[in-house]
Amino acid sequence: EDNNVKGILINIFGGIVRCDIIARGLVNAAKVAKIELPIVVRLAGTNSEEAMKIIKKSELSIYPSKNVAEAARKIVELTA
């Protein structure tokens, strides 16, 4: 609800919860909440490749990233 927020960066290491479950939850939450801001997600851990596929397939403004540095660059690029 804060108009000053221009994007969201999520950085998660999925050691306890699998990354594909996190990705499904993120996609569903973005749809339900109708989030239109760009979301950059770095997921590392169990099933991270499957998680990236889920995010890409969603066709939402969610951008997967392989590492934190890449994620930081991407969110700055999208919100500048």
Side-chain angles (χ1 to χ4, degrees):
E1 293 180 21
D2 187 338
N3 292 330
N4 294 315
V5 175
K6 296 178 181 159
I8 301 168
L9 173 62
I10 299 173
N11 178 32
I12 295 179
F13 177 77
I16 296 173
V17 177
R18 296 183 341 232
C19 291
D20 59 312
I21 293 172
I22 294 168
R24 283 188 188 93
L26 174 61
V27 168
N28 288 336
K31 286 179 181 177
V32 169
K34 298 179 182 170
I35 296 175
E36 295 181 14
L37 296 172
I39 302 170
V40 177
V41 182
R42 181 263 185 172
L43 292 170
T46 306
N47 290 354
S48 60
E49 292 301 317
E50 179 65 23
M52 297 302 179
K53 291 176 187 175
I54 292 166
I55 290 168
K56 287 178 183 176
K57 186 178 174 184
S58 75
E59 297 183 1
L60 297 173
S61 294
I62 305 174
Y63 304 88
S65 185
K66 294 184 180 192
N67 59 58
V68 177
E70 179 184 302
R73 281 191 295 273
K74 186 67 175 176
I75 196 65
V76 168
E77 172 190 316
L78 292 168
T79 59

